[in-house]
């Protein structure tokens, strides 16, 4: 039962942080194309949340993470005001390559599909 509650809180944190990140004025975050929150994991005592971030342009990933780290206090305060939890978790931002990895797998599958579908030539 508690894990279901934590899961719901993770979803709320993810939704609220996504909205807050879009409003950040830090150029390291706001001028970077697409920044997505792929997942949020919160400890059972709600003290800490790991926020997994995916950045479309991998060359800007380190700057985006630095920008989010510097804005963590502001984001935490905004999160606390909107969610009204007993404890507002401390935010830790972590790079997540799952979207890029998924795109790579799709590309490989597409290549295999094209190769298998191509007519074979006999010598």
């Amino acid at each position: 039962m508690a894990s279901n509650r934590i899961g719901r809180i993770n979803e709320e944190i993810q939704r609220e942080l996504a909205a807050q990140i879009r409003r950040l004025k830090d150029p390291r975050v706001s001028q970077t194309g697409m920044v997505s929150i792929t997942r949020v994991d919160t400890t059972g005592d709600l003290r800490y949340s790991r926020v997994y971030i995916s950045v479309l342009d991998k060359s800007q990933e380190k700057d985006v993470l630095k920008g989010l780290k510097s804005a963590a206090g502001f984001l935490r305060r905004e999160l606390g005001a909107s969610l009204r939890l007993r404890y507002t978790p401390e935010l830790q931002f972590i790079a997540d390559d799952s979207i890029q990895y998924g795109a790579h797998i799709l590309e490989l599958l597409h290549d295999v599909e094209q190769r298998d579908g191509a007519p074979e030539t006999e010598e």
Side-chain angles (χ1 to χ4, degrees):
M1 198 59 112
S3 66
N4 190 20
R5 180 175 166 264
I6 296 293
R8 204 167 47 250
I9 290 171
N10 286 340
E11 289 173 11
E12 290 178 34
I13 290 172
Q14 183 173 351
R15 187 173 37 253
E16 186 60 35
L17 281 178
Q20 292 299 330
I21 286 173
R22 282 193 296 273
R23 289 186 227 133
L24 280 181
K25 291 180 174 46
D26 188 323
R28 293 174 291 191
V29 179
S30 64
Q31 296 175 0
T32 307
M34 193 171 96
V35 177
S36 301
I37 299 175
T38 56
R39 187 171 91 232
V40 174
D41 289 334
T42 304
T43 58
D45 61 1
L46 300 179
R47 299 284 183 175
Y48 302 95
S49 284
R50 287 186 171 170
V51 182
Y52 294 89
I53 301 292
S54 180
V55 181
L56 188 61
D57 183 359
K58 287 295 168 196
S59 66
Q60 297 177 321
E61 184 175 74
K62 281 190 167 98
D63 286 339
V64 169
L65 289 172
K66 284 180 186 175
L68 290 172
K69 185 176 180 180
S70 72
F74 168 77
L75 292 170
R76 183 179 183 199
R77 190 170 54 250
E78 294 294 310
L79 197 61
S82 64
L83 295 185
R84 301 200 191 288
L85 298 169
R86 178 178 295 194
Y87 300 109
T88 303
E90 196 172 308
L91 304 173
Q92 179 183 14
F93 295 98
I94 301 168
D96 184 4
D97 296 334
S98 63
I99 291 176
Q100 184 180 13
Y101 180 73
H104 176 68
I105 295 297
L106 282 174
E107 184 179 314
L108 291 175
L109 289 172
H110 182 70
D111 291 347
V112 168
E113 185 179 80
Q114 283 189 335
R115 191 175 57 230
D116 288 350
E120 294 193 26
T121 58
E122 292 186 27
E123 296 178 19

